[in-house]
Structure formats: structure tokens, C-alpha cells
């Protein structure tokens, strides 16, 4: 899209009246509350789904590559924040044996097609938590921070300048965030050990990619119970999934040594990137955060309405069921919590209340990604049905678990309450209890014990071997440094090794096949 046309679209977005937008969102919330009370969002069984993000690289040297928009349309993927991003969203399926199999098969089928098409372009889609090799001939800092200003005419005839991020997708709402009166409420920066980057747009968020399992509750008023359990499993599941221990080499401070970067770096920098790019550095709790417990479904709805609106987007009329509350849907798009409730559906019969689980970075293989989907869904089934006592775990401890997992992965000291009511910090005992309940939840939904164990095997292997994708990456870099490489070369070797191993196992293997490399 020409920059001038994009600037004009951004100017139109910025003309939306914030007070009117909020008032309409409040009215939409009442529509949803009435529908919840009528049982519109109830369904006879749990439904699962998955959002899966990728980034593109040149196939020969693993440097980041922009994805042509025509190619995204051809492979049926959706655009994300950066020009290098691509996202897949699976079709919702019942949580049972055929449903889980359908989720995995759909991901494989669509991804295989995408890999075949991109191969002809000498390109590859990568499933990873954070890219580390910038485009050929560019630095990561320039790629993420580069922007230009273009003139635009507002709907009232005034002239103004619009800032456009050079490497951001042509979505007006992404670019509008840098031009709104509330632009200062987003940090637009990265702050992590030995890394500090300031930008004028939210483009630095495009460093990161994730998987996002969805779990649809059968009875909407019960959503808070599932939500509160999801907060308590967030830390332990994140610790198993960490996959972004490094930034691109040129983002590190010039005086930082490789030893310092290895010593001080976190296992999951994706968490801090999302928070520091989108949160206001001058205030307390930001828009991206670990949320508090819920007491009622009305509270879940009100939180979304009451959340700060950075960009009040224009709303177009539509024919979907959830177009009855369009302003609420728009607000939800920037309601950034690590666990968040969702209310929607294309038709009245498909209306649903679900939990979107956002802490997990993109994983090395499809099987690993589906393992997290299965584990999260199984836990939501089992913990609530059995009234597992971990719901008594203090919220502050659940939050500390989450950020401890972010920094230390499986080495973090996590607090858990076992099935027999004991508070523990032993990791092996924690995961024995957690994964046993995930398996119980899957079996209760009709999976055989053998199939349930198969889905969870990649996660059990990580626990037994005390290896995560992040710790694997750190060992690869450490070995290269001991071989005499400098940090940039060591990271490049690691990333190329990651892509090579992924190309061998993405569709049919798992990260368990990498352990021992």
C-alpha cells in the first residue's frame, strides 16, 4: 500500500471520537451481559482452537525476510505486525480425540502447503519465539526503529503529519498507535538485560512470535473459575515453553560481554518485549500484564470496557452475530493480558465465551505446539472438574511464578499446591501433579490413556531432561563461544542450527528429538 494512502487511512482512524467510542462499548457490554444471562454463550461441550505465528527467513542463510502480501493470501495466512510475520488460525474443534487430531492435522496441512509455496520463493517460515538474524545488509535496530513521516488530510480538512513504520504491515490501527494523542501510553521501547532500544512506533513488538491456545467453556458464567485456574498454570507452562533467550546481536550494549549476556539474560525475553513496547513506562500496571483473578463474568466484561483505549477504531456494520457488539470487539483487540477472556462468535449458535492463553512462545515443532494446546485444555477440564486445591494458591505467588518462569525457565523456584493440598516448590513433584491432571482431563474427554500420554510426551521429556528450547539455544551459543566464535557468530550458528533441526522435525518430529544434540 502506498505510504500516502496508508497515512490517509491512519488520519481517518485518528478522527474517531474517543468518548463516543467508549460510550458505545459500554452499551455493547450490556448486550453481552444480557446474552450471557440468556445462555446464548453456552455450549454443550468445550471447544479448542489455536493461533500460531511464524516469521519468514531466507532459506539459504536464515536472515529475516519480508513476506510479499500476495504470498500471504496465496497460502491462506494472515498478516501480523511486521512485514516478516505470518499467522495461522485453526478452525474451532470439540475437545475430544477427533478434535485434537483435527487441530494437529489442520496445522500440518496448511503449514505443509505454505512451506511448499515459500520454498519456490527461496523462503522459509520459522516457528520460533524471537528472531535473531536481521535482514541481509540491515541491522535489527534499524529494521525495528525505522520510520518516516507523511502528510495527510484529516476528515475535518486539517493537515497533519503521520508517522509510518517502514517495516510494519499496512494495518491502520498498528500505525495509528504512534500518532494518537495517547501515543505516550505505549513505551515503544525494549528494556532487558544489556539491551535498550527506543523507537517511535510499536514495531519492536514484531521481534516476537507466539502460539495462543483457546479453550471455550461450556457454561459462560463459569468462565471466572477456569480463568483463575489458567492464571495458576501460566507460570509452570511458561517455564516448560521458554524459547527466546537471545536478542539480535546488534541490539546488545557495546560494552556487554558474551559472559555477561549469558549470565544475565532471561529465558523468555518475549514477555518483556511485549510489556515494554506497549506499556507506559511512567505508570504502574500497564495494558500488557498478568491479570488479577475474576469473581464474575460481568467483571470480565467490564474490565475490557474499562481498559484504556489507545486507538478508538472506526467500526463498520457487519452481519456476524458479534457485530451486535462491534465497539466492544474493537476494544478487546487491544486488551492485552497474558490470559484474557473472549466473547464472540460468527453466529448466535456459535457464540462462545473462551479463554485465550497467551504466555507461550512459538515452539520448535507442530507437535510441541499441539502438546501445549492439549495440556492447557486438559488442565482446564480436570482442575475445574476435580476442584483442584491449586485455586487456593495466592494470586501474588501465581504472578511471581509467571515472572520467575520468564527469567529462569525450568530453573525457577515455582510454588504449587498439590492434589492433596500441600504447598510445594519441588519442580518434579509440581510437574508430576500438573501433567497428571492434564492427562486426566484429556482422558475424561474421551482420549485413550495412550493417546493422552502421546500428546503430553514432548512436555514430560522436557521435565525429565531439564531441557527447554531456550536452554538448548543457550548451550548452542555457549559451545560456539568455547569454540572461539564471537557472540554474533555464535548466535548465528545457533539460529542456523535451530532452523536446520526444525526443517527435519517441524511436521513429524518434536523438540524431544533434539535433546542430546
Amino acid at each position: 500500500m502506498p505510504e500516502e494512502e496508508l497515512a490517509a487511512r491512519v488520519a481517518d482512524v485518528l478522527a474517531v471520537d474517543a468518548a463516543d467510542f467508549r460510550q458505545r462499548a459500554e452499551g455493547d457490554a450490556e448486550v453481552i451481559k444480557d446474552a450471557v444471562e440468556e445462555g446464548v454463550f453456552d455450549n454443550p461441550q468445550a471447544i479448542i482452537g489455536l493461533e500460531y505465528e511464524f516469521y519468514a527467513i531466507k532459506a539459504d542463510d536464515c536472515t529475516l525476510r519480508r513476506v510479499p502480501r500476495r504470498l500471504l493470501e496465496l497460502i491462506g495466512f494472515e498478516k501480523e505486525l511486521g512485514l516478516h510475520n505470518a499467522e495461522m488460525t485453526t478452525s474451532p474443534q470439540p475437545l475430544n480425540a477427533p478434535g485434537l487430531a483435527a487441530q494437529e492435522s489442520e496445522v500440518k496441512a496448511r503449514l505443509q502447503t505454505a512451506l511448499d509455496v515459500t520454498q519456490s520463493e527461496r523462503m522459509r517460515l520459522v516457528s520460533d519465539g524471537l528472531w535473531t538474524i536481521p535482514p541481509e545488509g540491515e541491522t535489527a535496530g534499524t529494521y525495528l526503529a525505522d520510520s518516516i513521516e507523511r502528510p495527510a488530510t484529516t476528515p475535518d480538512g486539517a493537515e497533519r503529519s503521520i508517522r509510518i513504520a517502514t517495516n510494519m504491515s499496512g494495518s491502520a490501527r498498528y500505525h495509528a498507535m504512534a500518532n494518537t494523542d495517547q501515543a505516550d501510553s505505549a513505551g515503544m521501547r525494549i528494556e532487558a538485560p544489556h539491551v535498550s532500544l527506543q523507537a517511535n512506533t510499536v514495531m519492536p513488538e514484531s521481534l516476537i512470535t507466539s502460539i495462543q491456545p483457546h479453550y471455550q467453556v461450556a457454561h459462560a458464567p463459569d468462565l471466572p473459575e477456569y480463568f483463575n485456574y489458567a492464571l495458576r498454570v501460566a507460570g509452570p507452562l511458561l517455564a516448560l515453553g521458554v524459547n527466546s533467550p537471545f536478542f539480535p546481536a546488534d541490539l546488545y550494549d557495546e560494552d556487554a560481554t558474551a559472559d555477561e549476556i549469558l549470565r544475565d539474560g532471561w529465558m523468555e525475553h518475549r514477555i518483556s518485549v511485549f510489556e515494554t513496547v506497549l506499556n507506559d513506562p511512567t505508570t504502574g500496571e500497564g495494558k500488557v500484564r498478568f491479570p488479577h483473578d475474576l469473581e464474575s463474568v460481568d467483571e470480565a466484561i467490564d474490565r475490557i470496557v474499562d481498559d484504556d483505549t489507545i486507538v478508538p477504531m472506526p467500526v463498520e456494520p457487519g452481519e456476524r452475530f458479534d457485530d451486535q457488539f462491534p465497539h466492544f470487539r474493537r476494544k478487546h483487540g487491544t486488551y492485552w493480558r497474558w490470559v484474557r477472556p473472549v466473547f464472540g462468535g460468527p453466529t448466535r449458535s456459535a457464540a462462545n465465551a473462551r479463554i485465550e492463553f497467551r504466555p507461550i512462545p512459538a515452539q520448535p515443532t507442530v507437535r510441541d505446539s499441539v502438546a501445549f494446546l492439549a495440556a492447557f485444555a486438559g488442565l482446564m477440564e480436570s482442575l475445574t472438574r476435580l476442584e483442584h486445591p491449586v485455586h487456593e494458591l495466592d494470586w501474588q505467588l501465581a504472578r511471581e511464578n509467571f515472572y520467575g518462569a520468564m527469567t529462569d525457565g525450568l530453573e525457577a523456584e515455582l510454588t504449587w499446591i498439590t492434589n492433596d493440598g500441600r504447598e510445594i516448590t519441588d519442580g518434579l513433584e509440581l510437574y508430576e501433579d500438573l501433567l497428571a491432571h492434564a492427562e486426566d482431563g484429556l482422558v475424561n474427554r474421551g482420549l485413550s490413556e495412550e493417546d493422552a500420554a502421546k500428546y503430553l510426551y514432548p512436555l514430560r521429556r522436557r521435565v525429565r531432561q531439564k531441557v527447554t528450547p531456550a536452554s538448548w539455544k543457550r548451550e548452542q551459543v555457549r559451545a560456539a563461544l568455547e569454540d572461539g566464535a564471537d557472540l554474533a557468530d555464535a548466535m548465528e550458528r545457533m539460529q542456523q542450527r535451530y532452523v536446520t533441526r526444525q526443517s527435519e522435525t517441524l511436521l513429524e518430529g518434536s523438540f524431544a528429538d533434539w535433546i542430546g544434540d
Side-chain angles (χ1 to χ4, degrees):
M1 179 185 301
E3 292 155 354
E4 290 74 14
E5 181 183 341
L6 179 57
R9 288 179 55 194
V10 172
D12 289 341
V13 167
L14 296 173
V16 175
D17 181 82
D20 178 67
F21 182 89
R22 180 184 174 86
Q23 185 176 18
R24 290 177 182 272
E26 290 171 350
D28 288 351
E30 296 306 313
V31 173
I32 297 172
K33 290 176 183 178
D34 289 344
V36 167
E37 190 171 343
E38 294 171 16
V40 174
F41 289 97
D42 296 347
N43 288 278
Q45 61 179 325
I47 304 290
I48 53 173
L50 183 69
E51 296 177 51
Y52 199 152
E53 299 170 351
F54 300 83
Y55 63 77
I57 60 169
K58 285 179 62 181
D60 56 352
D61 62 5
C62 299
T63 54
L64 198 70
R65 182 165 171 186
R66 299 161 178 87
V67 184
R69 302 297 89 177
R70 60 167 178 79
L71 194 61
L72 273 183
E73 296 174 4
L74 185 63
I75 63 178
F77 279 50
E78 302 160 27
K79 63 185 179 182
E80 248 293 334
L81 183 66
L83 292 177
H84 55 276
N85 290 129
E87 182 180 46
M88 174 199 307
T89 301
T90 63
S91 307
Q93 297 288 342
L95 175 56
N96 53 32
L100 261 175
Q103 288 284 316
E104 184 169 7
S105 294
E106 181 179 356
V107 171
K108 286 182 177 180
R110 295 175 61 186
L111 185 53
Q112 179 67 71
T113 299
L115 292 174
D116 291 343
V117 172
T118 54
Q119 184 178 22
S120 65
E121 301 275 342
R122 296 186 294 279
M123 180 189 303
R124 182 171 183 87
L125 294 181
V126 178
S127 176
D128 191 10
L130 192 157
W131 56 265
T132 55
I133 306 179
E136 184 178 10
E138 303 178 57
T139 66
T142 300
Y143 181 84
L144 294 168
D146 194 28
S147 65
I148 57 177
E149 292 192 4
R150 288 290 181 266
T153 303
T154 64
D156 61 4
E159 294 291 324
R160 65 164 295 174
S161 181
I162 300 293
R163 182 169 295 278
I164 301 294
T166 307
N167 296 301
M168 191 183 288
S169 295
S171 173
R173 76 181 180 99
Y174 293 145
H175 293 275
M177 292 178 64
N179 295 280
T180 178
D181 292 339
Q182 295 193 54
D184 291 342
S185 62
M188 301 183 190
R189 77 198 199 289
I190 295 173
E191 288 290 343
H194 307 296
V195 174
S196 180
L197 173 72
Q198 184 65 54
N200 293 314
T201 72
V202 297
M203 181 62 188
E205 189 213 328
S206 71
L207 268 171
I208 58 177
T209 47
S210 68
I211 58 169
Q212 297 172 20
H214 288 229
Y215 176 88
Q216 177 181 320
V217 304
H219 186 49
D222 294 335
L223 183 142
E225 180 183 5
Y226 291 88
F227 183 90
N228 295 345
Y229 272 115
L231 296 184
R232 277 133 187 95
V233 304
L237 288 181
L238 174 61
L240 278 176
V242 288
N243 193 22
S244 56
F246 294 107
F247 287 92
D250 70 88
L251 293 186
Y252 287 107
D253 299 334
E254 290 185 4
D255 60 352
T257 67
D259 286 342
E260 290 172 333
I261 289 168
L262 281 169
R263 181 193 67 208
D264 301 334
W266 301 333
M267 287 295 196
E268 191 51 48
H269 287 294
R270 172 181 162 265
I271 301 295
S272 65
V273 168
F274 200 25
E275 292 191 353
T276 57
V277 170
L278 293 170
N279 287 347
D280 185 343
T282 66
T283 61
E285 288 190 323
K287 283 177 67 67
V288 184
R289 63 178 186 262
F290 188 81
H292 286 277
D293 286 333
L294 284 171
E295 293 187 5
S296 69
V297 69
D298 281 3
E299 183 183 12
I301 296 166
D302 288 337
R303 282 187 187 178
I304 296 169
V305 172
D306 294 339
D307 192 50
D308 289 341
T309 303
I310 297 180
V311 179
M313 291 287 293
V315 173
E316 299 293 334
E319 300 299 324
R320 291 169 52 104
F321 164 77
D322 46 21
D323 285 324
Q324 296 180 38
F325 40 92
H327 294 80
F328 180 93
R329 286 180 65 202
R330 284 291 193 185
K331 269 193 72 72
H332 183 272
T334 58
Y335 180 71
W336 297 306
R337 304 295 190 270
W338 291 114
V339 181
R340 69 180 182 183
V342 184
F343 301 87
T347 64
R348 186 180 178 89
S349 62
N352 63 86
R354 63 187 187 271
I355 293 171
E356 186 177 288
F357 192 69
R358 301 165 61 83
I360 308 299
Q363 295 295 300
T365 74
V366 171
R367 188 167 297 168
D368 292 291
S369 300
V370 174
F372 277 103
L373 171 61
F376 178 64
L379 286 167
M380 291 297 94
E381 281 289 316
S382 182
L383 298 181
T384 52
R385 178 173 53 86
L386 299 177
E387 298 182 356
H388 191 288
V390 78
H391 68 77
E392 297 294 338
L393 183 70
D394 185 76
W395 175 85
Q396 186 61 41
L397 286 175
R399 183 182 185 278
E400 290 173 7
N401 282 348
F402 183 76
Y403 289 102
M406 176 193 81
T407 57
D408 297 323
L410 283 179
E411 297 299 317
E413 184 175 284
L414 307 180
T415 305
W416 184 257
I417 297 177
T418 61
N419 195 49
D420 57 5
R422 293 178 297 113
E423 186 172 295
I424 62 166
T425 56
D426 178 76
L428 288 177
E429 193 173 0
L430 183 161
Y431 285 109
E432 181 180 351
D433 188 69
L434 181 136
L435 293 175
H437 281 85
E439 185 170 334
D440 170 79
L442 296 176
V443 171
N444 190 61
R445 295 301 306 183
L447 276 75
S448 68
E449 292 183 0
E450 181 181 358
D451 283 345
K454 180 194 72 173
Y455 280 112
L456 300 175
Y457 170 77
L459 306 186
R460 291 191 185 279
R461 184 75 188 278
R462 295 185 189 192
V463 174
R464 287 198 297 267
Q465 300 296 321
K466 297 184 178 179
V467 176
T468 61
S471 65
W472 181 91
K473 288 179 175 179
R474 288 172 64 88
E475 286 307 311
Q476 295 287 316
V477 168
R478 185 176 284 110
L481 290 170
E482 291 173 354
D483 239 4
D486 62 20
L487 179 65
D489 286 340
M491 288 177 53
E492 185 170 322
R493 289 188 203 177
M494 174 275 292
Q495 197 66 47
Q496 291 173 341
R497 178 64 173 159
Y498 182 96
V499 171
T500 297
R501 294 298 281 124
Q502 183 171 101
S503 67
E504 299 164 349
T505 56
L506 178 60
L507 297 176
E508 297 302 333
S510 77
F511 176 69
D513 302 324
W514 304 19
I515 295 175
D517 281 6

